[in-house]
Amino acid sequence: MTAALALLLCGAGPVAPDYRPGNSDVARTGKDFAGGRDEFRFVVIGDRTGQHRPGVFEHALEEVNKLRPDFVINIGDLIEGNSEDLRQIDAEWQEVTAATGKLDMPFFYVPGNHDLTNDVQLQAWRKRLGADYYSFTYKNALFLVLNTEDPPQPKIARRKLLEEYGPQAMGVALQALQGDAEQAKALFARDPRIGELAAKLRASENVAFSAAQLAMVRSALARNPHVRWTFVLMHRPAWKVDSTAFREIEAMLQGRDYTVLAGHFHKYEHQTHDGHDYIQLGVTGGTPGGRADDPAVLDHIMWVSVAKGAPQISNIRLDGFFAKEGAPAAASSSRP
């Protein structure tokens, strides 16, 4: 029996030739096709809370779903929280999970201070979502999901500060705290009320990592000594405060390639520490953390591609998406 007849009897046709470089019937460069079995792509979502703007988070997930990343992960603050009313907490989570449940790929949850304001919210998180700190691996990359509210911190609720001082003062204080230290000092001297608010905000910016969480990190790193990259995700940027526990985590990370991602301040910022990227994301529907004309204040998603070498990170503004029918009119091109 000839090979051609065998293929015919088996119901199979001849294998189409690959479009390799050098073939006369195709014009292409010599690079390999992307999307190899060791490659993957994921999306990171920014803060949603602080008087969130309805529809922005949901719109972002709709667009992300079309991009088909392997998975989506956030950096905390998905619900407004600040409550011990289980009915309110449950209603807020239902709104979020209704959106994440429409994705065709996994969504990993990272807790924020709004999500875990108190022990009632902590128990609600664990009952609904599972662990509030954990690790997982995917295609030889390690992900450490940290909880900066372990345990929930006694602090001045930002919502109360917002009600007391107003959104304009809150924005000015937050922007000053994230800007030049000398300029902030001069501003606080000129406007003691802003200085008072800034002091209260600064006093509330503690992070907490329990001994059990540090043990989880130590164990995850010990089990995965040779991963190609380690991603550390948390809500509060712990590198900005005096945290002995976070310095211990950084010491554990020595000798490996890693990237740290956080949020909380609602304003994009990139730093390099000893050759490692430390990135504070902006928002995905949360209250903007500064003036509208500040380029670091934006709604966006982060697109991370992992292949050979260091991960490639790109940020996509939400107002950069438009449907196949074409770009909307300028008057309606941005969402609230």
Side-chain angles (χ1 to χ4, degrees):
M1 182 182 295
T2 65
L5 180 58
L7 286 171
L8 180 62
L9 293 176
C10 291
V15 178
D18 189 11
Y19 296 111
R20 298 184 180 279
N23 285 1
S24 59
D25 58 345
V26 62
R28 55 155 286 194
T29 63
K31 298 291 185 181
D32 291 334
F33 285 98
R37 65 179 184 178
D38 294 327
E39 298 184 19
F40 67 96
R41 294 147 189 88
F42 66 96
V43 162
V44 188
I45 299 291
D47 288 49
R48 175 184 177 266
T49 57
Q51 295 187 327
H52 68 279
R53 289 158 291 144
V56 179
F57 176 78
E58 291 80 0
H59 167 64
L61 292 189
E62 290 171 1
E63 298 299 335
V64 164
N65 208 36
K66 299 173 188 176
L67 297 177
R68 303 291 300 171
D70 290 54
F71 61 88
V72 183
I73 193 166
N74 81 310
I75 43 80
D77 273 10
L78 290 175
I79 67 169
E80 296 294 344
N82 287 310
S83 174
E84 294 185 348
D85 183 340
L86 283 172
R87 288 179 298 180
Q88 177 183 330
I89 295 167
D90 187 60
E92 291 181 359
W93 275 119
Q94 284 184 19
E95 185 177 13
V96 170
T97 55
T100 60
K102 293 178 181 178
L103 290 171
D104 295 328
M105 66 287 301
F107 185 99
F108 290 88
Y109 295 91
V110 178
N113 60 297
H114 278 258
D115 308 316
L116 302 183
T117 307
N118 50 56
D119 286 329
V120 174
Q121 287 185 234
L122 174 60
Q123 296 309 316
W125 171 289
R126 290 174 175 173
K127 182 178 180 181
R128 176 181 286 274
L129 302 174
D132 50 288
Y133 56 82
Y134 55 95
S135 69
F136 66 94
T137 57
Y138 186 70
K139 293 191 176 181
N140 199 33
L142 173 64
F143 291 79
L144 295 173
V145 174
L146 305 184
N147 176 7
T148 56
E149 320 299 312
D150 182 24
Q153 296 298 290
K155 55 187 178 294
I156 303 167
R158 283 198 175 192
R159 177 178 290 180
K160 292 181 180 178
L161 292 177
L162 185 66
E163 292 171 354
E164 180 181 355
Y165 289 88
Q168 182 176 0
M170 181 74 85
V172 171
L174 285 171
Q175 186 175 12
L177 288 172
Q178 297 183 78
D180 181 79
E182 290 301 318
Q183 292 181 6
K185 185 178 179 180
L187 170 63
F188 301 154
R190 293 194 309 270
D191 192 335
R193 187 167 182 270
I194 295 295
E196 178 184 77
L197 172 57
K200 291 179 179 179
L201 287 169
R202 191 184 288 115
S204 72
E205 292 306 328
N206 296 317
V207 299
F209 300 101
S210 67
Q213 184 169 183
L214 293 180
M216 181 279 293
V217 173
R218 189 176 296 107
S219 176
L221 294 173
R223 292 195 312 270
N224 300 279
H226 303 303
V227 290
R228 55 178 167 169
W229 210 268
T230 299
F231 294 93
V232 183
L233 294 106
M234 68 189 77
H235 180 61
R236 297 181 193 260
W239 64 90
K240 291 188 170 185
V241 300
D242 185 14
S243 170
T244 301
F246 185 66
R247 288 199 299 270
E248 186 175 342
I249 292 173
E250 288 182 303
M252 296 181 205
L253 292 166
Q254 286 186 5
R256 63 172 63 212
D257 295 318
Y258 69 88
T259 299
V260 182
L261 303 175
H264 185 59
F265 286 110
H266 296 201
K267 182 175 179 178
Y268 192 90
E269 182 180 290
H270 171 268
Q271 297 179 11
T272 302
H273 294 197
D274 296 325
H276 304 284
D277 289 322
Y278 283 58
I279 302 176
Q280 174 184 292
L281 276 75
V283 295
T284 312
T287 299
R291 297 189 327 227
D293 60 351
D294 186 338
V297 176
L298 75 164
D299 284 298
H300 74 111
I301 64 167
M302 176 179 285
W303 180 269
V304 186
S305 298
V306 182
K308 296 178 181 178
Q312 299 299 306
I313 296 176
S314 299
N315 288 287
I316 305 172
R317 299 179 61 109
L318 290 194
D319 59 12
F321 288 94
F322 60 85
K324 66 181 179 181
E325 289 79 12
S332 59
S333 61
S334 60
R335 288 180 170 254

